Amino acid sequence: MRIALVDSGIGMLSTAAALFAARPDADLFLSMDPDHMPWGPRAPGEVIERALAGAEAAVAAAGGDVDAVVVPCNTASVHGLTELRARFEPEVPVVGTVPAIKPAAAAGAPIAVWSTEATTRSEYQRRLVETFARGVDVTPVACRGLAEAVESADPGRIAEAVSYAAERTPARVGAIVLGCTHYDLVGGAITEALGREGAAAGVGLFTAAGAVAAQTLRRIGEAPVEARAGRVRVLASGRPARLPDAARAYPAGRALAVGEAAPTR
C-alpha cells in the first residue's frame, strides 16, 4: 500500500501518523513545500498549483503509482480538491480535509472553531457552520500566528499564539474544532491554555486526522496487511529530504521517524 500526502508543511503529521498506526505496512510519501509555505495567504490559483505539484512529486517518488492521494490541509482542500480529483480520479482516490464542525456541533452545546485568520474570514467556513451547526452557538476564533508557531516548534511562540486564541474563546463553549491541521500537534497545550484562561472545564477538542485516515483506507478498499514494515519518505518542494527537525518535536513526527527511509535521488 502506497499513500501520498500533500501539505505545505508539518500540518500533515497527525493524519500521516494515524495512517501509519492503522496500516504499519503502508509506504507513506510525505510531500511538503517549504519553498512556498505557508499556503494560506496565497491566491487560490497558487495553492492549486502547489498542491498539484506536490501530489505529482509524491506519485513520481512512488514509482508512478499510489493507492490514494491525501490532502491533510484545509487550505489546499478548499482550493485544490476539484483539480486534484480531475487529475487523479477515478483511478486514484483523492481524500481532502474538512474541519470537524459536524461532530462537534452534534450535542447542540456552544462550540468554537479555531482556524487561521484567512479561513475564519472565508465563505468556506461560513458555509460549513451554516450546514452542520445550524442553531448552535458558534464562535469563530482567528488563531493569529498559531500555524506558523507550530511549524517552528518554538515553545515560546506556540504558548503565545495558543494563549492569544484561548483568551478569545468564551468560557461557555463545550468543544473546540481545530480547523487547521497544524493545531492537532499542540492539543495538550491548547487544553492547558483553555483551563488557564477560564474556559469550561473538560472542553473537548475535535480534529479531522482520524476521520481522514479512516476515509482514506475505506476509499482504498480492503487489502491484506503485509508482514513488512512500511517506510516513510519525505519530499521538500519535490526534492528528496528528511523529516524536518521541527517534526520530531511532536509525538506524531517521532512516530513517523521510526519508519523514515533515507532520501534517495
Side-chain angles (χ1 to χ4, degrees), residues 35 40 59 70 94 101 111 128 171 175 192 196 223 225-226 265:
D35 292 357
V59 172
V70 183
V94 176
I101 292 173
I111 67 173
L128 287 175
E192 182 180 349
R196 288 199 308 268
V225 177
E226 300 180 35
R265 298 189 179 274

Side-chain angles (χ1 to χ4, degrees), residues 39-52 75-81 83 118 122:
W39 287 350
R42 293 185 176 275
E46 292 180 276
V47 175
I48 292 167
E49 178 184 345
R50 299 316 310 159
L52 283 169
T75 297
S77 295
V78 170
H79 298 304
L81 276 186
E83 286 76 8
S122 70

Side-chain angles (χ1 to χ4, degrees), residues 167-196:
E167 289 172 357
R168 288 155 178 77
T169 301
R172 67 182 181 275
V173 305
I176 307 290
V177 176
L178 302 184
C180 171
T181 53
H182 278 79
Y183 305 168
D184 294 13
L185 300 175
V186 292
I190 292 171
T191 300
E192 182 180 349
L194 289 170
R196 288 199 308 268

Side-chain angles (χ1 to χ4, degrees), residues 91-161:
E91 291 81 7
V92 178
V94 176
V95 181
T97 299
V98 176
I101 292 173
K102 183 177 181 180
I111 67 173
V113 181
W114 284 29
S115 52
T116 64
E117 292 178 288
T119 300
T120 299
R121 297 190 300 267
S122 70
E123 176 69 14
Y124 163 72
Q125 180 166 300
R126 187 186 66 79
R127 288 199 307 269
L128 287 175
V129 170
E130 289 181 351
T131 301
F132 298 118
R134 187 177 297 275
V136 175
D137 181 356
V138 179
T139 300
V141 177
C143 299
R144 188 176 66 190
L146 181 51
E148 293 81 1
V150 173
E151 191 75 29
S152 75
D154 182 305
R157 289 180 62 186
I158 292 169
E160 181 179 359

